[in-house]
Amino acid sequence: MRVLVTGANSLLASNTINILLEKDHKVIGFLRNPRSFPLPAHKNLVLQTGDITDPESYLDLLKDIDSVIHIAALTSQNIIDYEIYKKVNTEATVILYKHAIDNDVSSFIYVSTANCFGYGSSPDLGNELKTSRYPFTKSLYAKSKLEAQQILLQYKTDSQKTKLVILNPTFMIGAYDTKPSSGRLILSGYNKKVIFYPSGGKSFINVKDAANGVVNAITSGRHKEAYILSGTNLSYKAFYKKVVLQLEQNSTLIKIPNFLLISVGYLGDLLRFFNIKTDISSVNVKALCVDNYYTNEKAKKELKLPQNNIDEGISDAIRWFNLI
């Protein structure tokens, strides 16, 4: 196949491109800054510089493409204007989808976020049937991804040629984390004698598993279906224990009381009120206090989502960051 992958230098996209190349597909990696692309040159890989909000920079690429894997997104947590998120994550996504349909692209794989669905605790995990829950209903990033997801699912077209599959990954860990993005969680514990952790937890997934799920969705995903790509549900304490073990550090883990963490979040809200950029907000810190857990049963059954140990993803990330 010939596959266009947007946001090519991101964590998930880099790993997805790696798998596509291993399977001998031809890949066009669409990105803004080719200098940050982490993979080596390959005979089946072409990098194309452009901006996802500018259709003129990708229209010609769609003329001979079998599948679009749309991963590009604005993920920064310090933006306070929803319209900025909406322009990139919602409007640009819908426009790209319409152009894919116009060019008879066989499949359009949209990578969203698991937080478009309701999370759950260990006895009652979140799934594709549950609606988004607070505090993620107040997250501007999650809101923009959900809005795009809803528009795509409701979009009516006479074309029967373009299959739409929506993928909703949880917190991905692994190599090729160029920003870094999720890898900052590992870096936050590196070489620390004391590690402070929040009371909640996340659904962690080895990014290689998520990338395999993305590639499998091209052939196995069903039209207008969404799939949560999740792996191991862990508290932050349990996750940091795994990180410390692999780093061979003697670190003391101390839980941050919820009231203290939320107080810091409200301080972040105050800074944002004065247009001071910060990742800290009451919404973001409250997200750290919940068990943000999901099941992957649907993706395992229909997409053959692999289940590699999250320890391998942590190990890959540690090697990528040259921490040992």
Side-chain angles (χ1 to χ4, degrees):
M1 295 183 295
R2 288 179 55 84
V3 184
L4 173 66
V5 181
T6 69
N9 53 358
S10 66
L11 172 63
L12 178 58
S14 298
N15 281 273
T16 299
I17 290 171
N18 220 11
I19 293 171
L20 288 167
L21 295 175
E22 288 174 356
K23 294 179 179 292
D24 207 31
H25 298 303
K26 297 183 184 299
V27 180
I28 298 176
F30 186 76
L31 71 180
R32 290 189 299 172
N33 182 12
R35 288 177 295 180
S36 64
F37 186 70
L39 300 180
H42 192 285
K43 62 182 178 65
N44 284 345
L45 173 64
V46 175
L47 297 181
Q48 177 66 45
T49 304
D51 187 330
I52 199 65
T53 64
D54 176 19
E56 292 300 322
S57 64
Y58 63 71
L59 277 178
D60 286 343
L61 304 178
L62 295 174
K63 294 178 180 178
D64 190 26
I65 287 293
D66 297 303
S67 180
V68 171
I69 299 176
H70 180 41
I71 301 176
L74 181 61
T75 59
S76 299
Q77 295 297 307
N78 61 7
I79 299 170
I80 60 177
D81 183 356
Y82 177 69
E83 293 302 315
I84 296 176
Y85 283 108
K86 184 175 180 178
K87 179 180 179 181
V88 178
N89 296 346
T90 307
E91 295 173 355
T93 295
V94 174
I95 292 171
L96 175 62
Y97 178 54
K98 290 178 179 179
H99 285 304
I101 292 173
D102 291 342
N103 283 274
D104 292 330
V105 173
S106 296
S107 60
F108 187 92
I109 312 300
Y110 171 53
V111 176
S112 184
T113 171
N115 291 323
C116 288
F117 298 110
Y119 60 87
S121 58
S122 295
D124 184 24
L125 299 175
N127 60 46
E128 293 86 354
L129 299 177
K130 295 183 177 181
T131 57
S132 182
R133 293 177 59 188
Y134 182 83
F136 299 103
T137 51
K138 296 297 183 181
S139 163
L140 300 185
Y141 164 72
K143 179 182 176 182
S144 67
K145 299 294 282 185
L146 177 59
E147 185 176 357
Q149 183 170 311
Q150 291 173 333
I151 293 173
L152 295 187
L153 289 172
Q154 295 168 4
Y155 187 78
K156 297 187 183 301
T157 174
D158 294 332
S159 173
Q160 302 296 318
K161 295 182 179 180
T162 304
K163 178 176 71 173
L164 169 67
V165 182
I166 295 174
L167 302 177
N168 304 79
T170 56
F171 202 76
M172 296 172 285
I173 296 290
Y176 307 124
D177 196 353
T178 55
K179 285 188 176 180
S181 54
S182 57
R184 288 190 296 174
L185 194 60
I186 291 175
L187 293 172
S188 69
Y190 175 61
N191 208 23
K192 299 287 177 54
K193 291 184 178 180
V194 178
I195 298 175
F196 295 95
Y197 66 90
S199 61
K202 279 186 179 294
S203 183
F204 296 89
I205 183 170
N206 186 326
V207 70
K208 289 180 181 178
D209 293 345
N212 271 290
V214 172
V215 174
N216 293 348
I218 296 174
T219 53
S220 300
R222 289 186 288 135
H223 181 51
K224 290 195 173 183
E225 287 288 331
Y227 300 86
I228 293 173
L229 307 182
S230 66
T232 306
N233 295 306
L234 293 171
S235 68
Y236 287 106
K237 181 179 182 179
F239 178 80
Y240 274 119
K241 280 186 175 181
K242 290 179 176 292
V243 172
V244 167
L245 182 64
Q246 292 207 32
L247 290 174
E248 299 180 350
Q249 299 182 176
N250 291 320
S251 301
T252 301
L253 303 180
I254 299 178
K255 184 169 72 172
I256 308 170
N258 284 357
F259 78 89
L260 181 58
L261 194 59
I262 292 172
S263 297
V264 173
Y266 285 126
L267 176 60
D269 290 347
L270 180 61
L271 294 175
R272 287 169 172 242
F273 178 78
F274 290 105
N275 292 320
I276 299 174
K277 281 194 171 184
T278 175
D279 287 354
I280 301 171
S281 71
S282 58
V283 169
N284 289 345
V285 299
K286 287 176 182 178
L288 300 175
C289 300
V290 300
D291 291 338
N292 190 17
Y293 297 160
Y294 292 91
T295 180
N296 55 18
E297 288 304 313
K298 183 178 179 180
K300 281 199 302 184
K301 180 180 179 181
E302 297 188 23
L303 304 183
K304 308 303 179 189
L305 181 71
Q307 291 292 279
N308 289 304
N309 197 310
I310 191 59
D311 292 330
E312 295 178 16
I314 294 172
S315 179
D316 288 343
I318 287 173
R319 286 196 298 270
W320 169 253
F321 293 125
N322 293 315
L323 301 185
I324 55 174

